[in-house]
Amino acid sequence: MDQLITLLVIQTSAAIISFAAGALVVAVVIYLMATSSKEEDKVSVKHKVYKLRGRYFFAIVLCAIILLFITLRLLPYPEFQNKADEVVTVVGMQWAWQMAPGVFNKNISKFSGNNEIDVPVNKNIKFVVTSMDVNHNFAIYNSQGHLITQTQAMPQYHNELQYTFSELGDYHILCLEYCGLAHAFMIGTIHVK
Amino acid sequence: MIQLEPGEIKKQRKLVIIWSVTFLVVFPVLITLGLLMRLRQGEDIKIGMDTFYALMTMHGLGMAGTLFSIAFAALWYLIATRHANLNLGVGYLVYFLNIIGGGGLFFATLIGRFGAGWYLLYPLPFKGANWPTWTTLITIISLIILGVAWLIGILHLIYRIAKEYGGFTNLLGWQYLGKKEVQKELPPIVLITTISLVPGVIAFLAGAVWMIIYLLKYFEPTLAFDPLLLKNLGFFFGHTLVNITLYCCVGWVYALLPEFTGRKWKTDKVLVYAWNATFFFILFAYFHHLYMDFVQPLPFQYAGQIASYLSAVPSTAITMFGVIVQLYHSKIKWGIIPLTFLIGIAGWAIGGFSAVVDSTIAVNTVLHNTLWVPAHFHTYMLTGVVLFILGFLFYMSHSKEEQERDKTGKLGFWLFVIGAHSFIAMFYMGGLKSIPRRYSDYSGIPISSTHSTGALLAQIAVVFIGLLLIGLTIMYFSILKKLFRRVANATGTVVSA
C-alpha cells in the first residue's frame, strides 16, 4: 500500500479508536449515574461486575496482543527499511535546515547544504538526519498539511528515515522538536519531481 | 488504622490546608500562562517569542510540579491521620523546599525569561539560548531543591508505613500472595502509595544525575555529554513524575469513595497482582517519548509500546471495575465529592486510551509532537488529576451533608468539566490536523490550511478556557468559604468548628 495512504489509515484509525473509547467511558458514567438510585447488596454487585471484569480482562489482553502483533511490524526503524534508491543528508541547525544529496562522512561543522532539495518521485529516499547544535525534529508535511513522516535530528547521532514520495509537488519540512526562539520558523522544502 | 490525638490531627490538617491554599493561589496563575499561550497562537494578542517560551516553560514545569506537590500533600495527610505517624517537621520542610524551588522557577522563567521548555532537552539550555545564563543556573538549582524535597518526603513516608506494616514487602502486598493468613490488613491507599512513590524515588535519583550533569556543564562548558542518554534521563524523570501524580490521586479515591458508597474497598490478591504489575509499567513506559529517535536501541522501543499497552490492563480492569463495584446500584447521593471522583476517573480513562493510541509506534509517526500530545496529557491531568484534587479539597472543607447540598459547587464543577473537555477537544482536533505543538505562533508555516486551522482552534480553545476558569472560580468560592470554618475530629474527618 502507498505509504501516504497507510499513514492516513493509521491516523484515522487512531481517531476512531480514541473517540469510541471516550464514548464508551461516557456511556458507562451515564449508566452508573442513572442507575445508582437503585439499591443492591454489594456481594451481588461484586459477583456480577467481577464476572464482567473477567471477560473484559481476556478481551483487552487479547486486543493488546493482536494490536501489538500487527503494529510492531510497521516500524520506521533502519532494521525494517529496504535498500534506498537515493540518499539525502539533512542537518538541522538553529534555525534552518540544510540538505544535500549523498552521504556526508566528514565533520558536521563543514557540511554545506541548502534548505531546498529536489528528489525523484516513486523512489525510495533515505534521509540521514543529524543536527549541528541542539535537538530538532525533521518532519515532512505534504501540501494538504498532513504530517507524513518524521524523525529526530540529534547532535552526535544520525537517524535514518526512509520515504517514497508517490505524488509530485512541494513538501514542507517543519521542526517538531522545540529548539529555541525561532523554532516555529524553521522551514525547508522538498521538491518532488 | 492509627489513633491520633485530636491535637495532632489538627496540626496535620493545618499543614495540608496551608499547602492547599498555596495550590489554590498558584494553580490559576499557571492556567493564565496557558491562556496567554493559546491567545498568542490564536493571534489575539502579541507577545514576543522569548516571552511565549518562558510562559511555556513555567506552565509545564509549574503544572507538573504543583500537581505532584499537592497530590503528595493529600496523600501525606490521609496517611498521617489514618495509617502511620508522620513527622510534621518533615512535612513542613518538604513544603518550604517546594516554595523555594517553585519560587526559583517563577523567578528564572517569568523574570529572567528562561525558556528551554519543561524538559530542558540537552544541550538547549546551554546552546544558542536567548535567555541570561544565570537563569539556567537558577532553574537547575530550583529543580534540585524540588527533587531533594520530594525525595525526603517520600523516603520518610515509605519508612514510616513500612515500620507500621511490618516491612517493605508487606507494603507491596506480597503477604496476600502466600497461603498464610494475613495478620494485618493492608489498606489499598498504602499499597498504591508504595507502588506510586517507589518508582518516584528511582525517577528522582535519575533526575538528580541529570541535573548534576547540567551543573557540571554549566560550570565547565567545554564538557560534552551524550544527548541520547540525557534525553532518556530527562524523560524518565518527567514521565514518571506525571505518571505517579495520577496514581497518588487514585490512591485517595480508593480511600475516600467508600465513605460515600458505604462499601468497603479492600486489598485482595487480584489488587496486589495488578498494582505490582503497574510498578513495572511505570518504570518502562517512558520509552514511548523516544520513538522518533531511531538510534535508540530497538528493544527499548518495543519495551515502550508493550509497557504502555499493558499498563491499560490493570488500571482499567482493576481500578475502573473497582469504581463500578463501588457505585453500581449503591444508592449513593451525588454530592460534589463522589462526582469529582467519578468524572475524574472518566477523564483518566479517556486520556489514558488516547495516550495508549499514541504509544503505538506506527501511530506516533504521524502524531508525535503534534497537538495530540498536549491533548491526551491535558485530558488525564486537567479532567483527571485536577478533579481528584478538587474532590480532596471539597473533602477537607465540606461535611458529607454539605457536599451533597452544595449546588453552587456543583454548578462550578459542571462548568469546569464542560470547559475543560471542550478546550482539550481543540487539541485533539489540532493533532488530527497535524498542527505542531510548542509553536509560538503558526504564521511561519508555509501551508496556509495548517496556519489558519491552528490559529482558529486556539481562538476557540480560549473561549473554553474562560468557561473552565469561571467554573473554577465558583468552586473556589465554595471551598474557601468553608475551609477555614472547620476543625478536625479524632478520625481525621471534618466537623463544624
Side-chain angles (χ1 to χ4, degrees):
Chain A
M1 202 193 298
D2 182 280
Q3 257 178 300
L4 177 60
I5 295 172
T6 309
L7 289 172
L8 290 175
V9 168
I10 289 171
Q11 199 177 29
T12 311
S13 311
I16 292 170
I17 290 171
S18 300
F19 183 77
L24 178 68
V25 172
V26 172
V28 171
V29 166
I30 293 171
Y31 178 73
L32 275 177
M33 291 184 75
T35 55
S36 64
S37 56
K38 291 181 188 167
E39 193 168 19
E40 189 176 336
D41 175 50
K42 193 200 167 187
V43 178
S44 139
V45 169
K46 230 176 168 179
H47 181 71
K48 279 184 199 166
V49 177
Y50 282 4
K51 205 170 158 187
L52 187 65
R53 183 176 78 177
R55 287 177 193 162
Y56 171 83
F57 177 79
F58 284 110
I60 194 167
V61 170
L62 191 66
C63 277
I65 291 169
I66 291 170
L67 283 171
L68 284 169
F69 181 76
I70 295 169
T71 57
L72 286 178
R73 296 145 69 98
L74 299 168
L75 302 187
Y77 305 129
E79 292 85 345
F80 297 84
Q81 292 172 357
N82 301 318
K83 194 173 177 299
D85 297 315
E86 302 223 358
V87 179
V88 172
T89 298
V90 180
V91 179
M93 57 191 293
Q94 287 173 317
W95 289 276
W97 295 105
Q98 289 196 353
M99 293 175 281
V103 180
F104 185 79
N105 289 322
K106 294 177 195 161
N107 189 328
I108 205 71
S109 62
K110 294 185 177 129
F111 180 79
S112 167
N114 202 307
N115 73 340
E116 293 185 46
I117 197 162
D118 293 348
V119 299
V121 70
N122 291 326
K123 294 282 183 191
N124 190 6
I125 314 291
K126 181 198 279 185
F127 296 95
V128 181
V129 183
T130 187
S131 166
M132 211 173 266
D133 40 47
V134 300
N135 284 272
H136 303 276
N137 188 309
F138 177 75
I140 305 175
Y141 280 67
N142 68 10
S143 57
Q144 287 88 49
H146 289 294
L147 168 57
I148 55 174
T149 192
Q150 59 172 313
T151 189
Q152 289 268 307
M154 189 168 25
Q156 303 173 40
Y157 285 93
H158 292 81
N159 284 322
E160 294 181 3
L161 172 73
Q162 281 194 2
Y163 196 79
T164 302
F165 296 93
S166 55
E167 286 177 19
L168 296 168
D170 288 349
Y171 292 73
H172 292 290
I173 303 158
L174 269 58
C175 180
L176 285 193
E177 190 61 78
Y178 174 55
C179 57
L181 199 65
H183 161 60
F185 295 86
M186 194 172 149
I187 309 296
T189 308
I190 298 169
H191 304 287
V192 178
K193 294 184 171 174
Chain B
M1 181 78 82
I2 55 163
Q3 291 298 323
L4 277 188
E5 293 292 320
E8 282 301 309
I9 292 177
K10 206 173 170 183
K11 284 179 191 166
Q12 290 285 357
R13 185 176 158 78
K14 189 178 169 189
L15 169 65
V16 83
I17 285 180
I18 292 171
W19 216 317
S20 302
V21 171
T22 313
F23 165 78
L24 290 171
V25 172
V26 174
F27 183 55
V29 173
L30 293 170
I31 291 181
T32 307
L33 304 186
L35 170 67
L36 290 171
M37 286 159 62
R38 288 307 260 161
L39 279 166
R40 176 70 191 95
Q41 290 173 328
E43 299 170 9
D44 294 321
I45 60 167
K46 275 196 184 342
I47 48 175
M49 287 186 283
D50 59 337
T51 306
F52 178 91
Y53 289 119
L55 298 181
M56 182 187 85
T57 303
M58 189 60 223
H59 179 75
L61 280 172
M63 282 296 189
T66 307
L67 293 176
F68 175 71
S69 183
I70 189 68
F72 176 76
L75 258 191
W76 175 284
Y77 175 76
L78 293 171
I79 296 283
T81 52
R82 295 158 184 230
H83 305 298
N85 287 305
L86 299 182
N87 187 305
L88 201 62
V90 175
Y92 275 104
L93 175 68
V94 176
Y95 169 76
F96 283 116
L97 289 176
N98 273 241
I99 295 293
I100 295 167
L105 293 178
F106 265 105
F107 189 70
T109 53
L110 300 188
I111 308 292
R113 292 284 190 277
F114 178 76
W118 76 262
Y119 58 146
L120 288 87
L121 202 53
Y122 181 83
L124 181 61
F126 309 99
K127 231 173 197 172
N130 55 295
W131 48 85
T133 50
W134 62 264
T135 62
T136 305
L137 182 63
I138 298 273
T139 304
I140 295 168
I141 292 172
S142 302
L143 289 174
I144 290 174
I145 292 170
L146 288 170
V148 167
W150 294 332
L151 266 179
I152 292 170
I154 290 174
L155 289 174
H156 175 73
L157 203 152
I158 298 283
Y159 171 71
R160 285 294 171 92
I161 49 174
K163 216 171 153 189
E164 191 67 34
Y165 287 90
F168 181 69
T169 55
N170 279 356
L171 297 183
L172 295 170
W174 292 1
Q175 67 276 31
Y176 284 82
L177 306 179
K179 285 181 181 162
K180 280 186 191 165
E181 200 180 321
V182 175
Q183 297 295 322
K184 186 173 183 178
E185 216 172 89
L186 183 73
I189 186 173
V190 177
L191 170 70
I192 298 167
T193 297
T194 310
I195 298 291
S196 309
L197 296 185
V198 174
V201 172
I202 302 167
F204 295 153
L205 289 174
V209 173
W210 181 41
M211 283 298 109
I212 288 166
I213 289 174
Y214 273 26
L215 265 186
L216 292 172
K217 176 75 180 169
Y218 181 84
F219 287 111
E220 185 47 67
T222 56
L223 288 172
F225 296 96
D226 187 318
L228 184 60
L229 173 69
L230 288 172
K231 197 182 268 190
N232 271 278
L233 281 175
F235 278 116
F236 177 52
F237 167 76
H239 173 87
T240 309
L241 175 72
V242 169
N243 207 178
I244 65 172
T245 301
L246 204 126
Y247 287 128
C248 285
C249 298
V250 171
W252 77 64
V253 173
Y254 273 75
L256 301 183
L257 191 56
E259 292 185 17
F260 300 91
T261 59
R263 292 175 174 175
K264 284 186 181 165
W265 202 343
K266 286 184 173 179
T267 300
D268 58 20
K269 215 177 243 189
V270 176
L271 196 79
V272 170
Y273 276 125
W275 280 98
N276 275 261
T278 301
F279 184 97
F280 289 99
F281 301 146
I282 293 174
L283 292 177
F284 293 108
Y286 92 90
F287 285 127
H288 61 222
H289 289 272
L290 288 104
Y291 286 158
M292 292 302 111
D293 292 284
F294 291 9
V295 287
Q296 173 91 328
L298 192 60
F300 292 175
Q301 309 287 27
Y302 284 127
Q305 186 172 335
I306 293 167
S308 304
Y309 266 51
L310 295 184
S311 67
V313 178
S315 53
T316 54
I318 305 305
T319 300
M320 288 164 202
F321 273 85
V323 170
I324 294 172
V325 170
Q326 282 290 315
L327 295 172
Y328 183 68
H329 287 181
S330 62
K331 222 169 182 336
I332 188 172
K333 287 183 179 163
W334 285 105
I336 184 84
I337 299 171
L339 257 183
T340 57
F341 290 160
L342 175 62
I343 305 301
I345 287 281
W348 173 33
I350 296 167
F353 275 120
S354 55
V356 168
V357 164
D358 191 29
S359 74
T360 312
I361 299 167
V363 176
N364 194 252
T365 305
V366 285
L367 292 181
H368 179 77
N369 279 351
T370 67
L371 290 182
W372 187 273
V373 183
H376 78 67
F377 71 69
H378 275 88
T379 312
Y380 54 69
M381 294 308 272
L382 188 61
T383 62
V385 166
V386 171
L387 291 185
F388 295 141
I389 290 167
L390 289 167
F392 175 76
L393 295 176
F394 275 107
Y395 181 80
M396 293 301 292
S397 57
H398 286 54
S399 68
K400 198 173 176 184
E401 294 71 31
E402 282 173 340
Q403 62 92 30
E404 281 168 14
R405 289 196 304 265
D406 189 356
K407 285 185 182 162
T408 316
K410 283 183 204 168
L411 170 71
F413 169 78
W414 285 115
L415 289 178
F416 181 87
V417 169
I418 293 165
H421 275 290
S422 308
F423 151 69
I424 293 164
M426 299 305 118
F427 275 147
Y428 279 115
M429 287 163 78
L432 292 173
K433 289 285 178 190
S434 304
I435 311 294
R437 71 185 290 209
R438 299 195 180 110
Y439 268 35
S440 55
D441 67 276
Y442 306 113
S443 63
I445 299 174
I447 309 151
S448 61
S449 60
T450 305
H451 170 199
S452 57
T453 308
L456 177 67
L457 291 174
Q459 286 162 7
I460 300 169
V462 163
V463 177
F464 293 118
I465 297 174
L467 188 62
L468 77 87
L469 277 172
I470 293 170
L472 194 65
T473 309
I474 295 171
M475 282 192 280
Y476 267 36
F477 178 72
S478 173
I479 291 168
L480 289 170
K481 200 172 64 174
K482 293 199 166 62
L483 191 63
F484 299 107
R485 288 198 290 112
R486 312 227 150 250
V487 292
N489 70 7
T491 59
T493 51
V494 291
V495 292
S496 294

